[in-house]
């Protein structure tokens, strides 16, 4: 993109010691747009935050008498601003910054983005109309009404807490959480704004593409005041934030899977929430938290977060960048940032991010030790038939950093200062702890449970109860939703059989894991258990700490006998498979090899209730048919459907809850090793390794690293990093030998 005449006629003066940097500001007055240059420090203005949208079919505006092309989304935002914000000074990046990437101005102005949004008197969030629900104005009004009640309750709870002195012994964050939780419970008891239609509409707003942008993180978190704008209504961000906090408290297990939209929104809220003075995060933390956010330019996955750092950290990362921001390649940008993070932290936790999901092709331009930040939520494979699985990588991302901190595979060794050779070869120190002699197939995203996009009647906002009560409420809501719609039966059937295929394929892989574990020679260590399956399940869950953390995502009180119960359920499954005549027939006559989908389907049906679900399903189908006929031909309401819902829910009870995804032990095990596979080392130890691990790869312990890493020897001491792994029996430094440490070069 070349510089436009508009920007060439209005060059930005260089920053001065007294006035500081300059920016361009846009104003609509006397029926036309005008652009002017102003000092950043002494100007009042509002900043626009929006989604650029598709730039292939732009529209034209007139500014300073010059024609300027803008995206359609920005064009409609300008139409609204020209009515509501006449004579107001506005900062809009696409217009106020010269978008010529070869010119130094764009990089210099982007360095100021943090200051621009911090000093703006208000940030205007423009949401594209085409992605909003039809009842967006009612949704926004419900948020406003609820925010009023919530603030009243919060003041009351603060007063009671101060009066009774019941929380003075807690830390400040705990006090705040208790007060907010109590205010939420009290407000929800009195507020009736969040009807089914409103909750469905608000969830659609949360799925708006705006929230998935990487730039929104700093634009929102640095703003002193924000307001959401549409062509028909507005909503103060503080009111919407209260709704988000309520959703987080009431339905955290559901919203965790909504994808990066809510993740970005949730984290933005945390950055803003009662933080005075401002809280700063490390760049490595931000890159991991927002790794699924979207950016049109891959380099912006890094540049969009730099403004959230302290000024001295911004200079540390950006001052010696090899060239202007947008002149360096993506590989140069990521390599530079990765090495700077290693230099700053003296910690190897960044290397945990180097293993990409199985559906992402490795970028050959990047060194193996540099994380690939390019892929985002739009790269996630989409399930068929409008089913949804959210973003399971958000759930694993919650656990992975905490698990890394629980390990100490390299003993108490410290990480020597990393060295970089030829701008791409990283020099570290470590030792080889073993060699991979066998590796199975990995568990992948298409093995996970899916649901359907029919939240009506399912998501009831109420004060958070126990996990069992929450799942019962979910189950009853789903029953009402399915039984009160014509498409309910079809959607349930599609969801059920798709999940049978997925779970059947996952179960086949788990049986392969069991064959490897039971084949003899598996290292058991000093366990009291002599069953190799115990070592297998503990490895799949990444040790006792992994069992505790993963189980806590699904239950209020983690079970100490998790692995014993999982083994028991596995034995039940294995016996059922062994005596299932259809599965035996498929294996005997051969279609198992030619039609694996049929085999997976039967395995999945067997998985969901050991063959007991189909009879219940037949009863439910009869009830569903009767409800539809009775409702449509006898009554004009859904009373009959709700009546049959109660009967159907009683009959199906826990059996249907399996079909609808209530997690239990074996299902949790199948969902945990996402994009990882079970392998065995030359000494018999079991290991959970990255999906692209090969036989004869090595397991290395790196000085200062808390977990082992799978590496692939290229030549002598030259290696490629495959990814981090879990190896049974060496995670607390048992295999670390200081005298074996030598220099290792990673390409």
């Amino acid at each position: 993109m070349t510089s436009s005449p508009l920007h060439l006629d209005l060059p930005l003066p260089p920053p001065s010691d007294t006035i500081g940097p300059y920016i361009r500001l846009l104003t609509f007055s006397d029926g036309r747009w005008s652009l002017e240059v102003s000092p950043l420090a002494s100007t009042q203005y509002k900043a626009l935050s929006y989604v650029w949208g598709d730039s292939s079919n732009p529209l034209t505006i007139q500014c300073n008498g010059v024609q300027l092309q803008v995206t359609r989304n920005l064009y409609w935002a300008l139409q609204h601003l020209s009515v509501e914000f006449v004579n107001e000074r506005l900062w809009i990046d696409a217009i106020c910054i010269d978008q010529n990437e070869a010119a130094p101005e764009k990089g210099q102005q982007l360095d100021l983005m943090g200051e621009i949004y911090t000093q703006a008197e208000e940030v205007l969030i423009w949401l594209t109309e085409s992605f909003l629900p039809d009842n967006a104005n009612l949704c926004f009004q419900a948020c406003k009404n609820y925010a009023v009640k919530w603030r009243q309750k919060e003041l009351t709870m603060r007063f009671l807490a101060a009066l009774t002195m019941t929380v003075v012994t807690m830390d400040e964050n705990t006090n705040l959480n208790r007060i907010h939780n109590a205010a939420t419970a009290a407000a929800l008891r009195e507020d009736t704004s969040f009807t089914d239609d409103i909750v469905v509409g608000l969830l659609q707003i949360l799925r708006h593409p705006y929230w998935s942008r990487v730039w929104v993180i700093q634009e929102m978190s640095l703003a002193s005041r924000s307001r959401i704008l549409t062509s028909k209504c507005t909503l103060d961000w503080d009111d919407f934030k209260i709704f988000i906090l309520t959703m987080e408290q009431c339905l955290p297990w559901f919203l965790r899977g909504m994808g990066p939209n809510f993740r970005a929104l949730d984290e933005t809220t945390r950055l803003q929430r009662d933080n005075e003075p401002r809280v700063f995060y490390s760049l490595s933390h931000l890159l991991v938290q927002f790794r699924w956010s979207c950016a049109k330019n891959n380099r912006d996955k890094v540049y969009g977060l730099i403004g959230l750092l302290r000024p001295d950290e911004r200079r540390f990362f950006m001052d010696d960048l090899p060239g202007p921001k947008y002149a360096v390649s993506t590989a140069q940008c990521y390599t530079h940032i990765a090495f700077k993070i290693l230099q700053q932290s003296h910690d190897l936790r960044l290397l945990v991010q180097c293993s990409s999901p199985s559906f992402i092709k490795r970028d050959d331009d990047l060194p193996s030790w540099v994380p690939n930040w390019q892929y985002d939520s739009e790269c996630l494979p989409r399930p068929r038939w409008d089913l949804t699985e959210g973003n399971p990588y958000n759930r694993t991302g919650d656990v992975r950093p905490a698990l890394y901190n629980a390990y100490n595979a390299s003993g108490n060794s410290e990480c020597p200062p990393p060295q970089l050779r030829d701008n791409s070869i990283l020099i570290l120190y470590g030792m080889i702890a073993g060699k991979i002699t066998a590796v199975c197939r990995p568990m992948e995203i298409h093995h996970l449970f899916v649901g359907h996009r029919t939240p009506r009647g399912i998501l009831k906002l109420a004060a958070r109860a126990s996990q069992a009560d929450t799942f019962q409420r979910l189950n009853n809501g789903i029953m009402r939703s399915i039984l009160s719609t014509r498409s309910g039966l079809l959607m349930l059937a599609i969801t059920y059989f798709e999940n049978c295929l997925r779970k059947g394929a996952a179960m086949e892989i788990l049986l392969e894991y069991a064959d490897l574990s039971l084949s003899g020679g598996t290292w058991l260590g000093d366990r009291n258990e002599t069953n190799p399956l115990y070592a297998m399940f503990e490895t799949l869950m990444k040790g006792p700490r992994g069992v505790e953390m993963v189980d806590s995502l699904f239950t209020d009180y983690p079970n100490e006998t998790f692995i014993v119960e999982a083994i028991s359920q596995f034995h039940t499954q294995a016996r059922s498979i062994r005596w299932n005549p259809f599965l035996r027939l498929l294996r005997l006559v051969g279609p198992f090899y030619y039609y694996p989908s049929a085999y997976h389907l039967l395995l999945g049906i067997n998985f969901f209730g050991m063959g007991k679900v189909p009879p219940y399903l037949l009863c439910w189908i009869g009830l569903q048919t009767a409800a539809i006929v009775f409702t449509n031909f006898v009554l004009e309401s859904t009373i009959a459907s709700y009546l049959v819902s109660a009967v159907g829910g009683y009959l199906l009870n826990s059996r249907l809850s399996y079909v609808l995804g209530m997690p239990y032990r074996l299902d949790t095990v199948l969902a945990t090793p996402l994009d990882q596979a079970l392998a065995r080392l030359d000494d018999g130890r079991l290991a959970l390794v990255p999906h692209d691990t090969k036989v004869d790869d090595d397991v290395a312990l790196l000085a200062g690293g808390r977990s082992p890493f799978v590496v692939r020897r290229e030549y002598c001491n030259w290696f490629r990093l495959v990814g981090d792994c879990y190896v049974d029996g060496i995670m607390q430094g048992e295999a670390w030998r200081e005298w074996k440490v030598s220099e290792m070069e990673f390409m």
Side-chain angles (χ1 to χ4, degrees), residues 148-340:
V148 172
K149 288 186 174 64
W150 190 91
R151 290 190 178 95
Q152 292 173 349
K153 300 301 180 184
E154 190 206 22
L155 285 174
T156 302
M157 297 303 166
R158 285 182 181 273
F159 174 74
L160 292 175
L163 186 65
T164 59
M165 302 293 288
T166 57
V167 294
V168 292
T169 59
M170 305 290 181
D171 63 87
E172 187 174 350
N173 287 333
T174 303
N175 292 342
L176 189 63
N177 287 333
R178 285 193 169 191
I179 290 172
H180 284 181
N181 292 346
T184 299
L188 285 174
R189 280 195 294 268
E190 295 183 9
D191 189 82
T192 59
S193 301
F194 294 127
T195 62
D196 284 352
D197 289 336
I198 295 299
V199 173
V200 171
L202 286 167
L203 288 179
Q204 185 174 339
I205 293 172
L206 287 176
R207 293 188 179 100
H208 194 286
Y210 172 84
W211 310 115
S212 66
R213 291 174 57 243
V214 69
W215 284 105
V216 72
I217 310 303
Q218 70 166 345
E219 293 169 4
M220 293 293 300
S221 60
L222 298 180
S224 58
R225 184 172 183 270
S226 303
R227 191 177 1 155
I228 300 174
L229 297 180
T230 72
S231 60
K232 298 177 182 177
C233 49
T234 66
L235 176 65
D236 193 86
W237 168 253
D238 288 337
D239 292 345
F240 194 53
K241 183 173 69 173
I242 290 174
F243 164 73
I244 296 167
L245 295 174
T246 299
M247 293 287 284
E248 179 190 358
Q249 178 187 337
C250 297
L251 301 166
W253 50 271
F254 178 82
L255 293 175
R256 190 182 294 116
M258 278 193 64
N261 299 329
F262 181 77
R263 170 62 50 146
L265 193 57
D266 183 35
E267 286 297 320
T268 301
T269 303
R270 291 180 187 278
L271 288 168
Q272 279 195 334
R273 185 178 177 178
D274 297 324
N275 285 328
E276 188 64 40
R278 180 183 154 196
V279 170
F280 292 95
Y281 289 109
S282 67
L283 182 59
S284 59
H285 171 86
L286 294 169
L287 286 169
V288 172
Q289 288 298 314
F290 301 111
R291 84 104 48 250
W292 292 100
S293 297
C294 303
K296 296 190 70 172
N297 189 311
N298 290 327
R299 290 162 290 192
D300 285 339
K301 293 292 289 288
V302 173
Y303 298 157
L305 300 172
I306 292 293
L308 295 172
L309 306 180
R310 291 192 298 268
D312 59 325
E313 287 196 347
R314 288 182 226 163
R315 292 190 294 271
F316 173 79
F317 284 107
M318 304 305 296
D319 279 357
D320 56 349
L321 193 69
K325 269 188 173 182
Y326 290 96
V328 300
S329 66
T330 300
Q332 287 177 312
C333 172
Y334 288 1
T335 302
H336 171 81
I337 293 298
F339 182 68
K340 282 291 190 178

Side-chain angles (χ1 to χ4, degrees), residues 36 40 47 143 176 205 220 222 225 228 250 259 295 325 327 415 460 524 560 594 629 667 684 716 720 725 735:
E36 62 181 3
L40 172 61
C143 288
L176 189 63
I205 293 172
M220 293 293 300
L222 298 180
R225 184 172 183 270
I228 300 174
C250 297
K325 269 188 173 182
C415 178
K460 174 72 173 174
L524 298 176
E560 295 179 356
Y594 302 104
V629 172
D667 194 34
C716 195
R720 289 193 182 276
C725 64

Side-chain angles (χ1 to χ4, degrees), residues 580-601:
N580 188 308
F582 298 105
L583 293 173
R584 291 173 69 88
L585 182 63
L586 276 178
R587 282 189 170 275
L588 284 173
V589 301
F592 158 69
Y593 300 102
Y594 302 104
Y595 303 102
S597 294
Y599 180 67
H600 294 160
L601 182 61

